[in-house]
Coordinates of all heavy atoms in Angstrom, one line a residue:
M1 N 92.3 106.0 100.3 CA 91.5 107.1 100.8 C 92.3 108.4 100.4 O 93.5 108.5 100.6 CB 91.3 107.1 102.3 CG 90.4 108.2 102.8 SD 90.1 108.0 104.6 CE 88.6 107.1 104.5
N2 N 91.6 109.4 99.9 CA 92.4 110.6 99.5 C 92.4 111.6 100.6 O 91.7 111.5 101.6 CB 91.8 111.2 98.2 CG 90.4 111.7 98.4 OD1 90.0 112.2 99.4 ND2 89.6 111.5 97.3
C3 N 93.3 112.6 100.4 CA 93.6 113.6 101.4 C 92.3 114.4 101.8 O 92.1 114.7 103.0 CB 94.6 114.6 100.9 SG 96.2 113.8 100.7
R4 N 91.5 114.7 100.9 CA 90.3 115.5 101.2 C 89.4 114.7 102.2 O 88.9 115.3 103.1 CB 89.5 115.7 99.9 CG 88.5 116.8 99.9 CD 88.0 117.0 98.5 NE 88.9 117.8 97.7 CZ 88.8 119.1 97.5 NH1 87.8 119.8 98.0 NH2 89.7 119.7 96.8
K5 N 89.3 113.5 102.0 CA 88.5 112.7 102.9 C 89.1 112.6 104.3 O 88.4 112.7 105.3 CB 88.3 111.3 102.4 CG 87.2 111.2 101.3 CD 87.0 109.8 100.9 CE 86.0 109.7 99.7 NZ 86.0 108.5 99.0
I6 N 90.4 112.5 104.3 CA 91.2 112.4 105.6 C 90.9 113.7 106.4 O 90.6 113.7 107.6 CB 92.7 112.2 105.3 CG1 92.9 110.9 104.7 CG2 93.5 112.4 106.6 CD1 92.7 109.7 105.6
I7 N 91.1 114.8 105.7 CA 90.9 116.1 106.4 C 89.5 116.3 106.9 O 89.3 116.8 108.0 CB 91.2 117.3 105.4 CG1 92.7 117.2 105.1 CG2 90.8 118.6 106.0 CD1 93.2 118.0 103.9
K8 N 88.5 115.8 106.2 CA 87.2 115.8 106.8 C 87.0 115.0 108.0 O 86.2 115.3 108.9 CB 86.2 115.3 105.7 CG 85.7 116.4 104.7 CD 84.6 115.8 103.9 CE 84.2 116.9 102.9 NZ 83.3 116.4 101.8
L9 N 87.8 113.9 108.1 CA 87.7 113.0 109.3 C 88.5 113.4 110.5 O 88.4 112.9 111.6 CB 88.0 111.6 108.9 CG 87.1 110.9 107.9 CD1 87.7 109.6 107.4 CD2 85.7 110.6 108.6
I10 N 89.4 114.4 110.2 CA 90.4 114.7 111.3 C 89.7 115.2 112.6 O 90.2 114.8 113.7 CB 91.4 115.7 110.7 CG1 92.5 115.0 110.0 CG2 92.1 116.6 111.8 CD1 93.6 115.8 109.3
S11 N 88.7 116.0 112.4 CA 88.1 116.5 113.7 C 87.5 115.4 114.5 O 87.6 115.4 115.7 CB 87.0 117.6 113.3 OG 86.0 117.0 112.6
D12 N 86.9 114.4 113.9 CA 86.3 113.3 114.6 C 87.5 112.5 115.2 O 87.3 111.9 116.3 CB 85.5 112.4 113.6 CG 84.3 113.1 113.2 OD1 83.8 114.0 113.9 OD2 83.7 112.7 112.1
Y13 N 88.5 112.4 114.4 CA 89.7 111.6 114.9 C 90.2 112.2 116.2 O 90.5 111.5 117.2 CB 90.7 111.6 113.8 CG 92.0 110.9 114.2 CD1 92.1 109.5 114.1 CD2 93.1 111.6 114.6 CE1 93.2 108.8 114.5 CE2 94.3 110.9 115.0 CZ 94.3 109.6 114.9 OH 95.5 108.9 115.3
I14 N 90.4 113.5 116.2 CA 90.9 114.2 117.4 C 89.9 114.1 118.6 O 90.3 113.9 119.7 CB 91.2 115.6 117.1 CG1 92.4 115.7 116.1 CG2 91.6 116.4 118.4 CD1 92.7 117.0 115.5
D15 N 88.6 114.1 118.3 CA 87.6 114.0 119.3 C 87.4 112.6 119.8 O 86.6 112.3 120.7 CB 86.3 114.6 118.8 CG 86.3 116.1 118.7 OD1 87.1 116.7 119.4 OD2 85.4 116.6 118.0
R16 N 88.1 111.7 119.1 CA 87.9 110.3 119.4 C 86.5 109.8 119.1 O 86.1 108.8 119.7 CB 88.3 109.9 120.8 CG 89.7 110.4 121.2 CD 90.8 109.3 120.8 NE 92.1 109.7 121.3 CZ 93.0 110.4 120.6 NH1 92.6 110.8 119.3 NH2 94.2 110.7 121.0
E17 N 85.8 110.5 118.3 CA 84.5 110.1 117.9 C 84.5 109.5 116.6 O 83.9 110.0 115.6 CB 83.6 111.3 118.0 CG 83.2 111.7 119.4 CD 82.4 113.1 119.4 OE1 82.1 113.6 118.3 OE2 82.2 113.6 120.5
I18 N 85.2 108.4 116.4 CA 85.4 107.9 115.1 C 85.4 106.4 115.2 O 85.9 105.8 116.2 CB 86.7 108.5 114.5 CG1 86.7 108.2 113.0 CG2 87.9 108.0 115.2 CD1 87.7 109.0 112.2
E19 N 84.9 105.8 114.1 CA 84.9 104.3 114.1 C 86.3 103.8 114.0 O 87.2 104.4 113.3 CB 84.1 103.8 112.8 CG 82.7 104.1 112.9 CD 82.1 104.3 111.5 OE1 82.3 103.4 110.7 OE2 81.5 105.3 111.2
E20 N 86.6 102.7 114.5 CA 87.9 102.0 114.5 C 88.5 101.9 113.1 O 89.6 102.2 112.9 CB 87.7 100.6 115.1 CG 89.0 99.9 115.4 CD 89.8 100.4 116.5 OE1 89.3 101.1 117.4 OE2 91.0 100.2 116.5
V21 N 87.6 101.5 112.2 CA 88.1 101.3 110.8 C 88.6 102.6 110.2 O 89.7 102.7 109.6 CB 86.9 100.8 109.9 CG1 87.5 100.4 108.5 CG2 86.2 99.7 110.6
K22 N 87.9 103.7 110.5 CA 88.3 105.0 109.9 C 89.5 105.5 110.6 O 90.4 106.1 110.0 CB 87.1 106.0 110.1 CG 86.0 105.8 109.1 CD 85.0 106.8 109.3 CE 83.8 106.5 108.4 NZ 82.6 107.2 108.8
R23 N 89.6 105.3 111.9 CA 90.8 105.7 112.6 C 92.1 105.0 112.1 O 93.1 105.6 111.9 CB 90.6 105.3 114.1 CG 91.6 106.0 115.0 CD 91.3 105.7 116.5 NE 91.3 104.3 116.8 CZ 92.5 103.6 117.1 NH1 93.6 104.3 117.1 NH2 92.4 102.3 117.3
E24 N 91.9 103.7 111.8 CA 93.1 103.0 111.2 C 93.4 103.6 109.8 O 94.6 103.7 109.5 CB 92.7 101.5 111.1 CG 93.1 100.8 112.4 CD 92.5 99.4 112.5 OE1 92.2 98.8 111.5 OE2 92.4 98.9 113.7
M25 N 92.4 103.9 109.0 CA 92.6 104.4 107.7 C 93.4 105.7 107.8 O 94.4 106.0 107.0 CB 91.3 104.7 107.0 CG 90.8 103.5 106.3 SD 89.5 103.9 105.1 CE 88.1 104.1 106.3
I26 N 93.0 106.6 108.8 CA 93.8 107.8 108.9 C 95.2 107.6 109.4 O 96.1 108.1 108.8 CB 93.0 108.7 110.0 CG1 91.7 109.2 109.4 CG2 93.9 109.9 110.3 CD1 90.8 109.9 110.4
E27 N 95.4 106.7 110.3 CA 96.7 106.4 110.8 C 97.6 105.8 109.7 O 98.8 106.1 109.6 CB 96.7 105.4 112.0 CG 96.4 106.3 113.3 CD 95.9 105.4 114.4 OE1 96.0 104.2 114.4 OE2 95.5 106.1 115.5
E28 N 97.0 105.0 108.9 CA 97.8 104.4 107.7 C 98.1 105.6 106.8 O 99.2 105.6 106.2 CB 97.0 103.4 107.0 CG 96.9 102.0 107.7 CD 98.3 101.4 108.0 OE1 99.1 101.4 107.0 OE2 98.6 101.1 109.1
H29 N 97.2 106.4 106.5 CA 97.4 107.5 105.6 C 98.5 108.5 106.0 O 99.3 108.9 105.2 CB 96.1 108.2 105.3 CG 96.2 109.3 104.3 ND1 96.0 109.1 102.9 CD2 96.5 110.6 104.4 CE1 96.2 110.2 102.3 NE2 96.5 111.2 103.2
I30 N 98.4 108.9 107.3 CA 99.4 109.9 107.7 C 100.9 109.3 107.8 O 101.8 110.0 107.8 CB 99.1 110.5 109.1 CG1 98.9 109.5 110.2 CG2 97.8 111.4 108.9 CD1 98.8 110.1 111.5
K31 N 101.0 108.0 107.7 CA 102.3 107.4 107.7 C 102.9 107.7 106.3 O 104.1 107.8 106.2 CB 102.2 105.9 107.8 CG 102.2 105.4 109.3 CD 102.1 103.9 109.4 CE 101.6 103.5 110.8 NZ 101.1 102.1 110.7
I32 N 102.1 107.7 105.3 CA 102.6 107.9 104.0 C 102.4 109.3 103.4 O 102.9 109.6 102.3 CB 102.0 106.9 103.0 CG1 100.5 106.9 103.0 CG2 102.6 105.5 103.3 CD1 99.8 106.3 101.8
C33 N 101.6 110.1 104.1 CA 101.3 111.4 103.6 C 101.7 112.5 104.6 O 101.1 112.7 105.6 CB 99.8 111.5 103.2 SG 99.4 113.1 102.6
K34 N 102.8 113.2 104.3 CA 103.4 114.2 105.1 C 102.4 115.4 105.3 O 102.3 116.0 106.3 CB 104.7 114.7 104.6 CG 105.8 113.8 104.8 CD 106.3 113.7 106.3 CE 107.0 112.4 106.6 NZ 106.9 112.0 108.0
K35 N 101.7 115.7 104.2 CA 100.8 116.8 104.3 C 99.7 116.6 105.3 O 99.5 117.4 106.2 CB 100.2 117.0 102.9 CG 99.5 118.3 102.7 CD 98.9 118.4 101.3 CE 97.4 118.8 101.4 NZ 96.6 118.5 100.3
C36 N 99.1 115.4 105.3 CA 98.0 115.2 106.2 C 98.5 115.0 107.6 O 97.9 115.4 108.6 CB 97.2 113.9 105.8 SG 96.2 114.3 104.4
E37 N 99.7 114.5 107.7 CA 100.3 114.4 109.0 C 100.5 115.7 109.7 O 100.2 115.9 110.9 CB 101.7 113.7 108.9 CG 102.2 113.3 110.3 CD 103.7 112.8 110.2 OE1 104.4 113.1 109.2 OE2 104.1 112.2 111.2
S38 N 101.0 116.7 108.9 CA 101.2 118.0 109.5 C 99.8 118.7 109.7 O 99.7 119.4 110.7 CB 102.1 118.9 108.6 OG 101.3 119.3 107.5
I39 N 98.8 118.4 108.9 CA 97.5 119.0 109.2 C 97.0 118.4 110.5 O 96.5 119.2 111.3 CB 96.5 118.6 108.0 CG1 96.9 119.3 106.7 CG2 95.1 119.0 108.4 CD1 96.2 118.9 105.5
L40 N 97.1 117.2 110.7 CA 96.7 116.5 111.9 C 97.4 117.1 113.1 O 96.7 117.5 114.1 CB 96.9 115.0 111.8 CG 96.4 114.2 113.1 CD1 94.9 114.3 113.2 CD2 96.8 112.8 113.0
N41 N 98.7 117.3 113.0 CA 99.4 117.8 114.1 C 99.0 119.2 114.5 O 98.8 119.6 115.6 CB 100.9 117.8 113.8 CG 101.5 116.3 113.9 OD1 100.9 115.5 114.6 ND2 102.6 116.1 113.2
T42 N 98.9 120.0 113.4 CA 98.5 121.4 113.6 C 97.1 121.5 114.2 O 96.9 122.3 115.2 CB 98.5 122.2 112.3 OG1 99.7 121.9 111.6 CG2 98.3 123.6 112.5
T43 N 96.2 120.7 113.7 CA 94.9 120.7 114.3 C 94.8 120.3 115.7 O 94.2 121.0 116.6 CB 93.9 119.8 113.4 OG1 94.2 120.0 112.1 CG2 92.5 120.0 113.8
E44 N 95.6 119.3 116.0 CA 95.6 118.8 117.4 C 96.1 119.8 118.3 O 95.6 120.1 119.4 CB 96.5 117.5 117.5 CG 95.6 116.3 117.9 CD 96.5 115.0 118.0 OE1 97.5 115.0 117.4 OE2 96.0 114.1 118.6
K45 N 97.2 120.5 117.9 CA 97.8 121.5 118.7 C 96.8 122.7 119.0 O 96.7 123.2 120.1 CB 99.1 122.1 118.1 CG 100.3 121.3 118.5 CD 101.6 122.0 117.9 CE 102.6 121.0 117.7 NZ 103.4 121.3 116.4
T46 N 96.2 123.1 117.9 CA 95.2 124.2 118.0 C 94.1 123.8 119.0 O 93.7 124.6 119.8 CB 94.7 124.5 116.6 OG1 95.7 124.6 115.7 CG2 93.9 125.8 116.6
I47 N 93.6 122.6 118.8 CA 92.5 122.2 119.7 C 93.0 122.1 121.2 O 92.3 122.6 122.1 CB 91.9 120.9 119.3 CG1 91.3 121.0 117.9 CG2 90.9 120.3 120.3 CD1 90.2 121.9 117.8
K48 N 94.2 121.6 121.4 CA 94.7 121.5 122.7 C 94.9 122.8 123.3 O 94.6 123.1 124.5 CB 96.0 120.7 122.7 CG 95.8 119.2 122.8 CD 97.0 118.4 122.9 CE 96.7 116.9 122.8 NZ 97.8 116.2 122.1
L49 N 95.5 123.7 122.5 CA 95.7 125.1 123.0 C 94.4 125.8 123.3 O 94.3 126.4 124.4 CB 96.4 125.9 121.9 CG 96.9 127.2 122.3 CD1 98.1 127.1 123.2 CD2 97.3 128.0 121.0
S50 N 93.4 125.6 122.5 CA 92.1 126.3 122.9 C 91.5 125.6 124.1 O 90.8 126.3 124.9 CB 91.2 126.2 121.7 OG 90.8 124.8 121.4
K51 N 91.8 124.4 124.4 CA 91.3 123.8 125.6 C 92.0 124.3 126.8 O 91.4 124.5 127.9 CB 91.5 122.2 125.6 CG 90.4 121.6 124.7 CD 90.4 120.1 124.7 CE 89.2 119.7 123.9 NZ 89.4 118.4 123.2
V52 N 93.3 124.7 126.7 CA 94.1 125.3 127.7 C 93.5 126.7 128.0 O 93.2 127.1 129.2 CB 95.6 125.4 127.4 CG1 96.3 126.2 128.4 CG2 96.2 124.0 127.3
I53 N 93.2 127.4 126.9 CA 92.7 128.7 127.1 C 91.3 128.7 127.8 O 91.0 129.5 128.7 CB 92.5 129.4 125.7 CG1 93.9 129.7 125.1 CG2 91.7 130.7 125.8 CD1 93.9 130.0 123.6
Y54 N 90.6 127.6 127.5 CA 89.3 127.5 128.2 C 89.4 126.7 129.5 O 88.4 126.2 130.1 CB 88.3 126.8 127.3 CG 87.7 127.7 126.3 CD1 88.3 128.0 125.1 CD2 86.5 128.4 126.6 CE1 87.8 128.9 124.2 CE2 86.0 129.3 125.6 CZ 86.6 129.5 124.5 OH 86.1 130.4 123.6
K55 N 90.6 126.6 130.0 CA 90.9 125.9 131.2 C 90.2 124.6 131.4 O 89.5 124.3 132.4 CB 90.5 126.8 132.4 CG 91.3 128.1 132.4 CD 90.9 128.9 133.7 CE 91.7 130.1 134.0 NZ 92.2 131.0 133.1
N56 N 90.4 123.8 130.3 CA 89.9 122.4 130.3 C 88.4 122.3 130.4 O 87.9 121.2 130.5 CB 90.5 121.6 131.4 CG 92.0 121.4 131.2 OD1 92.4 121.2 130.1 ND2 92.8 121.4 132.3
K57 N 87.7 123.4 130.3 CA 86.3 123.3 130.1 C 86.1 122.9 128.7 O 87.0 123.0 127.9 CB 85.6 124.7 130.3 CG 85.3 124.9 131.8 CD 84.5 126.2 131.9 CE 85.5 127.4 132.3 NZ 84.9 128.7 132.2
K58 N 84.9 122.4 128.4 CA 84.7 122.0 127.0 C 84.8 123.2 126.1 O 84.2 124.2 126.4 CB 83.4 121.2 126.9 CG 83.6 119.9 126.3 CD 82.3 119.2 126.0 CE 82.2 118.6 124.6 NZ 83.4 118.1 124.0
V59 N 85.6 123.0 125.1 CA 85.7 124.1 124.1 C 84.3 124.2 123.4 O 83.7 123.2 122.9 CB 86.8 123.7 123.0 CG1 86.8 124.8 122.0 CG2 88.1 123.6 123.7
P60 N 83.8 125.4 123.3 CA 82.5 125.5 122.6 C 82.5 124.9 121.2 O 83.5 125.2 120.5 CB 82.3 127.1 122.6 CG 83.2 127.6 123.6 CD 84.3 126.6 123.7
K61 N 81.5 124.2 120.9 CA 81.4 123.5 119.6 C 81.6 124.5 118.5 O 82.2 124.2 117.5 CB 80.1 122.8 119.5 CG 80.1 121.4 120.1 CD 80.8 120.4 119.1 CE 81.1 119.1 119.8 NZ 82.3 118.4 119.3
R62 N 81.0 125.7 118.7 CA 81.1 126.7 117.6 C 82.6 127.1 117.3 O 83.0 127.2 116.2 CB 80.3 128.0 118.0 CG 79.3 128.3 117.0 CD 78.6 129.6 117.3 NE 79.6 130.7 117.0 CZ 79.5 131.9 117.6 NH1 78.6 132.2 118.5 NH2 80.4 132.9 117.2
L63 N 83.4 127.2 118.4 CA 84.8 127.6 118.2 C 85.5 126.4 117.5 O 86.3 126.6 116.6 CB 85.4 127.8 119.6 CG 86.9 128.1 119.5 CD1 87.2 129.4 118.8 CD2 87.5 128.2 120.9
E64 N 85.2 125.2 117.9 CA 85.8 124.1 117.2 C 85.5 124.1 115.8 O 86.3 123.8 114.9 CB 85.3 122.8 117.9 CG 86.3 122.3 118.9 CD 85.8 120.9 119.5 OE1 85.7 120.0 118.8 OE2 85.6 120.9 120.8
K65 N 84.3 124.3 115.4 CA 83.8 124.3 114.0 C 84.6 125.4 113.3 O 85.0 125.1 112.1 CB 82.3 124.6 113.9 CG 81.5 123.4 114.2 CD 80.2 123.4 113.4 CE 79.5 122.1 113.6 NZ 78.6 122.1 114.8
I66 N 84.7 126.5 113.9 CA 85.5 127.6 113.2 C 86.9 127.2 112.9 O 87.5 127.4 111.8 CB 85.4 128.9 114.0 CG1 84.0 129.5 114.0 CG2 86.4 130.0 113.5 CD1 83.7 130.5 115.1
L67 N 87.5 126.6 113.9 CA 88.9 126.1 113.8 C 89.1 125.1 112.6 O 89.9 125.3 111.8 CB 89.4 125.5 115.1 CG 89.6 126.4 116.3 CD1 90.0 125.6 117.5 CD2 90.7 127.4 116.0
Y68 N 88.2 124.2 112.7 CA 88.3 123.1 111.6 C 88.0 123.7 110.3 O 88.6 123.4 109.3 CB 87.2 122.0 111.9 CG 87.5 121.2 113.1 CD1 86.6 120.9 114.0 CD2 88.8 120.8 113.3 CE1 86.8 120.1 115.2 CE2 89.1 120.0 114.5 CZ 88.1 119.7 115.4 OH 88.4 119.0 116.5
Y69 N 87.1 124.7 110.2 CA 86.8 125.3 109.0 C 88.0 126.0 108.4 O 88.3 125.9 107.2 CB 85.6 126.3 109.2 CG 85.1 126.9 107.9 CD1 84.5 126.2 106.9 CD2 85.3 128.3 107.7 CE1 84.1 126.8 105.8 CE2 84.9 128.9 106.6 CZ 84.2 128.2 105.6 OH 83.8 128.8 104.5
Q70 N 88.7 126.8 109.3 CA 89.9 127.5 108.8 C 90.9 126.5 108.3 O 91.6 126.8 107.4 CB 90.4 128.4 110.0 CG 89.5 129.6 110.2 CD 90.0 130.4 111.4 OE1 90.7 129.8 112.3 NE2 89.5 131.6 111.6
I71 N 91.1 125.5 109.1 CA 92.1 124.5 108.7 C 91.8 123.9 107.3 O 92.6 123.8 106.5 CB 92.2 123.4 109.8 CG1 92.9 124.0 111.0 CG2 93.0 122.2 109.2 CD1 92.6 123.3 112.3
R72 N 90.5 123.6 107.2 CA 90.1 123.0 105.9 C 90.4 124.0 104.7 O 90.8 123.6 103.7 CB 88.6 122.7 105.9 CG 88.4 121.2 105.9 CD 86.9 120.9 106.1 NE 86.7 120.1 107.3 CZ 85.5 120.0 107.9 NH1 84.5 120.6 107.4 NH2 85.4 119.3 109.0
I73 N 90.1 125.2 104.9 CA 90.3 126.2 103.9 C 91.8 126.3 103.6 O 92.2 126.3 102.4 CB 89.7 127.6 104.3 CG1 88.2 127.6 104.3 CG2 90.3 128.7 103.4 CD1 87.6 128.8 104.8
R74 N 92.6 126.3 104.6 CA 94.0 126.5 104.5 C 94.6 125.4 103.6 O 95.5 125.5 102.9 CB 94.7 126.5 105.8 CG 96.1 127.0 105.8 CD 96.7 127.0 107.1 NE 95.9 127.7 108.1 CZ 96.0 127.6 109.4 NH1 96.9 126.8 109.9 NH2 95.3 128.2 110.3
Y75 N 94.0 124.2 103.8 CA 94.7 123.0 103.1 C 93.9 122.5 101.9 O 94.0 121.5 101.4 CB 94.9 121.9 104.1 CG 95.9 122.2 105.1 CD1 95.5 122.6 106.4 CD2 97.3 122.1 104.8 CE1 96.5 122.9 107.4 CE2 98.2 122.4 105.8 CZ 97.8 122.8 107.0 OH 98.8 123.1 108.0
K76 N 93.0 123.4 101.4 CA 92.1 122.9 100.4 C 92.8 122.7 99.1 O 92.5 121.8 98.3 CB 91.0 124.0 100.2 CG 89.7 123.3 99.8 CD 88.5 124.3 99.9 CE 87.2 123.6 99.7 NZ 86.1 124.5 99.9
K77 N 93.9 123.5 98.8 CA 94.6 123.4 97.6 C 95.6 122.3 97.5 O 96.0 121.9 98.6 CB 95.3 124.7 97.2 CG 94.2 125.7 96.8 CD 94.8 127.2 96.9 CE 93.7 128.2 96.8 NZ 94.2 129.5 97.2
Ligands
ZN1 ZN1 97.1 113.0 102.7

């Protein structure tokens, strides 16, 4: 699985809305790919932080989409 596909799956992975098989693929991939590992960590932190800001209320889907979009752009190259 290439990095581009992993990045697309990261949001689902963090939301735990992902099939077991795909989750394992991501976990295998980040073991060998530092780039995706750091993307995952950054994304997770950002999402967690935004949840704190929203005081554990559900983060608006729109905000989440914007975050993921920015992350995707940042790591596109
Ligand atoms: Zn990768």
Side-chain angles (χ1 to χ4, degrees):
M1 189 177 264
N2 64 37
C3 294
R4 199 172 281 261
K5 281 183 184 163
I6 295 291
I7 291 165
K8 274 189 181 166
L9 290 172
I10 277 178
S11 65
D12 293 336
Y13 178 80
I14 294 171
D15 286 340
R16 305 275 184 269
E17 282 171 9
I18 194 164
E19 294 152 53
E20 187 70 21
V21 191
K22 284 180 185 163
R23 195 173 59 85
E24 275 169 18
M25 277 195 278
I26 291 171
E27 279 166 7
E28 283 304 308
H29 182 86
I30 58 172
K31 274 181 203 164
I32 53 159
C33 179
K34 285 286 157 207
K35 194 181 127 201
C36 287
E37 192 190 14
S38 79
I39 293 168
L40 180 65
N41 288 337
T42 312
T43 312
E44 243 179 341
K45 270 188 212 142
T46 312
I47 296 299
K48 274 183 188 149
L49 189 71
S50 63
K51 281 183 178 152
V52 172
I53 292 166
Y54 280 88
K55 298 187 173 35
N56 292 323
K57 275 185 263 170
K58 232 183 134 33
V59 179
K61 274 283 168 208
R62 238 187 72 204
L63 176 66
E64 263 184 59
K65 282 213 174 84
I66 291 165
L67 290 174
Y68 292 136
Y69 183 67
Q70 285 174 344
I71 288 156
R72 246 175 246 162
I73 288 174
R74 193 180 311 161
Y75 292 102
K76 214 164 188 177
K77 286 162 195 170

